[in-house]
Amino acid sequence: MHSRFDRFRATSLGRQLERLIDSPERYIEYAALSRAEVPAVSAIVRDLQKMFPDVQYDQTAKQFCGAMVAEVMRRKHHDVLRPRGRVPGDFFTYGAVWMAEPQRAAFDALLARLAAMPDEMTRIVHAVPAGCRRMHPGGTGFSLVEHICHLRDLDRDVYRERIARLLAEDGPALASVDGVAMAAERRYAEQDSDAALAGFRLARADLVAQLTATTPEQRQRYGIVDGVRRITLDELVEDIYHHDRTHILELDELDAETSPTQSQGKNKV
């Protein structure tokens, strides 16, 4: 999940929502709804209305719910079919529609998708007027320029180091990154979006080249994240891909929130 939710996740409400959303029984419901091409977040609407009615008016809590459902679906290797589908009822307006069946992509296919991300970001940036690139959605969302800077710096300063350590060390200890703190410390909001995009393109090309040079045996080398999660290089690449997809979903929501033609943006997840 995006690190911007880490602080909310640690609150009493965040912990309760996580228990509601992340369970084997819920995944069965999410998968069933996905087979019907209904947003998976629809599965929790009734319980939210009954147990947490105030969440409907808390944009950060609603965004967390959508992100938590997405975390479950990605963990089970589902990808997004459509970024926005109509959610029945009036608690959420939209939610992601997930592919009906889990599909774990091969390493080479994941690398191709990673390599394509700068072009996808370029299309998004060019579609947003320069004056709107620093606009924030409701809740805890990043602006467009902050999204780009975040992706650039993870590739350049975080993922490259993690990969190098996985290749050079036996079971290295890897620490999570607080993306919100990094954004504040590095003043992402003040940076130029075009320059950040160019930096992301260079960093991603370098990252893909670094990964392309690895062998199947090297891809099984592992580290321990935050002392609790064992992750192989193969799994790290999948995590990077899913992290990319998370930002694409958030950028879709940012467009819906900030577009003057969208009158219901504040109800979307």
Side-chain angles (χ1 to χ4, degrees), residues 20-54:
L20 173 70
I21 294 166
D22 189 2
S23 70
E25 295 78 14
R26 285 295 178 192
Y27 169 66
I28 294 171
E29 295 181 61
Y30 302 152
L33 288 169
S34 298
R35 287 193 289 274
E37 297 192 9
V38 174
V41 75
S42 305
I44 62 172
V45 169
R46 184 172 298 178
D47 284 339
L48 288 174
Q49 290 172 326
K50 179 180 178 181
M51 301 166 61
F52 305 101
D54 290 344

Side-chain angles (χ1 to χ4, degrees), residues 114-187:
L114 295 187
M117 182 65 169
D119 286 340
E120 192 166 1
M121 288 297 296
T122 298
R123 287 192 294 271
I124 292 169
V125 171
H126 289 171
V128 176
C132 297
R133 294 178 187 177
R134 302 184 194 279
M135 294 177 65
H136 288 81
T140 60
F142 277 172
S143 66
L144 174 59
V145 67
E146 288 170 322
H147 278 285
I148 304 167
C149 292
H150 175 76
L151 290 168
R152 177 201 64 200
D153 286 1
L154 285 184
D155 278 13
R156 186 180 64 191
D157 302 331
V158 178
Y159 294 143
R160 281 196 64 196
E161 180 186 0
R162 286 184 183 176
I163 294 165
R165 292 189 63 200
L166 287 173
L167 294 174
E169 303 175 32
D170 292 329
L174 307 173
S176 293
V177 173
D178 186 338
V180 175
M182 184 183 291
E185 291 165 2
R186 302 188 180 194
R187 303 171 75 169

